[in-house]
Amino acid sequence: MPQRPGLSFSHVGIFVTDIQRMADFYSQVLDFTITDRGMLDGPHGPIELVFTSRDPDVHHQIVLVSGRPADLRFNVINQLSLMADSLETLQRYHRRLVGAGVAELAPVTHGNALSLYCRDPEGNRLELYIDTPWYVSQPMRVPMPIELPPAELMAWAEQHARALPGFRSRQEWRADMARRMGVEQAPA
């Protein structure tokens, strides 16, 4: 079925109070595989992230993020993620968001993805991104020079990623995930 070019829905991140209990539920009850986990500095201190997926082609479909307060009015959605169909599309949306006066634009590399974070008019966090052809251990986040020409930006991102823990091709990572998930490897 045809879809509109540019962006497609990809994954969701949710804030949780008991990250291990939630990780156990998603992995043991719903058969998600924990693909990565680790710590990052957040706006209010360190946060723990657990990345889960049921698809060996997708690093994460649900991300569990520590830090959910007891306040029931708190929005548990950490972010909505939209996958761009190319680096040029990601850069086009960056220019569009700048032109629309969107504040708090944060272009970053995660090693295995190039992302652009921003907030919608009500403060909900959005991620627009593309996958890269390689993988690095997660979480990882470093600002990136999104204004570079596409070929230069990809070269910069690959050079940066090659120096990070866990660097390998996306195909190698996918084969390992397929084994861990008990999914037959599709012929190439």
Side-chain angles (χ1 to χ4, degrees), residues 9-85:
F9 182 76
S10 173
H11 59 272
V12 65
I14 59 173
F15 284 109
V16 301
T17 52
D18 186 337
I19 199 160
Q20 189 57 53
R21 182 175 179 219
M22 292 290 279
D24 290 346
F25 173 81
Y26 280 92
S27 64
Q28 296 170 13
V29 178
L30 298 180
D31 292 327
F32 279 76
T33 296
I34 296 174
T35 60
D36 262 315
R37 71 184 313 154
M39 303 294 290
L40 274 181
D41 289 331
H44 306 291
I47 56 172
E48 183 176 2
L49 295 95
V50 176
F51 300 86
T52 69
S53 182
R54 290 181 45 88
D55 182 342
D57 288 319
V58 180
H59 178 266
H60 54 278
Q61 294 172 312
I62 298 175
V63 182
L64 307 172
V65 183
S66 67
R68 179 181 178 180
D71 181 352
L72 296 179
R73 296 170 296 175
F74 180 79
N75 185 354
V76 299
I77 302 298
N78 169 264
Q79 69 190 36
L80 297 176
S81 298
L82 304 170
M83 180 180 253
D85 57 15

Side-chain angles (χ1 to χ4, degrees), residues 89-161:
T89 295
L90 186 66
Q91 291 176 314
R92 185 172 63 249
Y93 275 98
H94 178 258
R95 290 187 299 273
R96 193 174 191 176
L97 291 163
V98 168
V102 173
E104 296 183 47
L105 288 173
V108 302
T109 178
H110 294 294
N112 61 356
L114 304 180
S115 299
L116 174 60
Y117 290 92
C118 65
R119 303 260 177 202
D120 71 14
E122 293 194 358
N124 299 300
R125 186 171 174 225
L126 302 175
E127 175 193 27
L128 285 60
Y129 79 99
I130 63 163
D131 284 328
T132 64
W134 50 83
Y135 165 82
V136 302
S137 298
Q138 296 297 308
M140 197 288 299
R141 176 182 59 208
V142 170
M144 75 170 173
I146 196 167
E147 299 84 6
L148 287 177
E152 288 180 39
L153 180 53
M154 286 303 286
W156 174 89
E158 182 175 5
Q159 180 181 9
H160 178 264

